[in-house]
Amino acid sequence: MAGFLKALTRDLEAPIEARGFGTGWFAGFFAILLGCVGLGMVLALRYPAWLGTPALAAVKNLEGFRPAIHAVILGSYALALISLILRPRKALGFTALILALIAGLLGGSGAEAREVHDWGIFFGLDFFVLNLVMTGLIFAPIERFLPHHAKQRLFRTEWREDLFYYLISSMMVQALTFLAFAPSKAVLSVSGGFAGFRALVGSQPLVLQVIEIMLLTDFVQYWFHRAFHRVPFLWGFHAVHHSAKAMDWLAGARMHFFEIAALRGVTAIPMMTLGYTPTALQIYIGLVYVYSSLLHANLRGDFDRLGRFVATPRFHHWHHGLEKEAVDVNFAIHFPFLDRVFGTYYYPAGRWPEGYGVPEKVPNGYVAQFLYPFRRKG
Ligand SMILES: [Zn+2]
Ligand SMILES: [Zn+2]
């Protein structure tokens, strides 16, 4: 902690040439500032007895106060990201991210409490147990009877790590829900109108809505995913997902917390803002949980024909392959035609990758992997 504060002060007091425009210093500084303001506003909402002076109570009741908290926290995230990308030292951007994350965890603008209520059972520990039991009940037996790697068992190497990832993302479902919906809320609050268009979208048959959501989110996901492969700083986060050396339904859970938050936030924008009905959204969210487990699952079946149209385990296993030809291919998670169109498709008939992982040494353990993107060199 002391070491971290030292790094932060040193970065804040960096020599003037390391502070100019384009070095990420201003972005980092304002990200921290907005992070503090956002956190203060959330605390004021949350603990009125401590922080709520009568004058503040009047401000809090203003109509724009909650949207303003959203804007402030989002601004802090955005600037922190810019700073992290531009700046070799990560202390400023990282501090701001932590501040904004705490503000989000404490409930953000307050929308999170309502959201969690709306989504019923999707909550913390219950969610973890339910999620694990449901997915495990589906996949553990079929991996046992129809395996691709026949010798691989349920409790293979690093299963504890992947289970811990499962636990964390389920326990943090509240924070993740907030982070996932915040960008969409911001888009909705500025776009305002288009009510007629949204009503039209929501009046389509349910199946059509779900298919459209799959297409839109996969398109957004494709470019997000591709950026996480091509931008070196972002790759540090995504390398964690690719560090899995064994593929099965549990391996998909291994993903850096910040990547999950960003991925969900960005992919949720089209599905949340265009007017799809809550039922369509819930079906899609359930489907994507099962589908992403399926893609990583240790399941046999070449599906040479089918795999050209919908993503299959073998299609995504190539994305995780160690071979040279498996580098930066198959970014789609639903529709391989996206990779065909954008020139990243690889699906050799009947062949599977020999091994999985990344050439670089990603450390073991949740904490070390959490810090990995910030410590990684080159
Ligand atoms: Zn990837
Ligand atoms: Zn994957």
Side-chain angles (χ1 to χ4, degrees), residues 298-321:
N298 174 29
L299 284 181
R300 76 166 66 135
D302 291 343
F303 299 108
D304 287 343
R305 194 72 74 67
L306 182 74
R308 297 169 62 84
F309 305 100
V310 285
T312 61
R314 192 165 71 90
F315 177 81
H316 193 68
H317 279 227
W318 271 113
H319 180 70
H320 283 262

Side-chain angles (χ1 to χ4, degrees), residues 32-51:
I32 291 180
L33 192 68
L34 285 182
C36 291
V37 172
L39 188 57
M41 288 163 97
V42 172
L43 288 174
L45 276 182
R46 207 174 148 105
Y47 304 108
W50 302 355
L51 300 155

Side-chain angles (χ1 to χ4, degrees), residues 1-46:
M1 189 69 200
F4 185 74
L5 280 177
K6 225 181 185 169
L8 177 63
T9 357
R10 203 173 45 206
D11 208 11
L12 273 173
E13 294 167 354
I16 208 77
E17 60 276 8
R19 276 201 234 169
F21 196 76
T23 62
W25 191 89
F26 285 104
F29 174 78
F30 284 106
I32 291 180
L33 192 68
L34 285 182
C36 291
V37 172
L39 188 57
M41 288 163 97
V42 172
L43 288 174
L45 276 182
R46 207 174 148 105

Side-chain angles (χ1 to χ4, degrees), residues 261-275:
L263 175 69
R264 295 200 190 162
V266 173
T267 52
I269 292 175
M271 71 176 201
M272 294 298 291
T273 52
L274 296 177

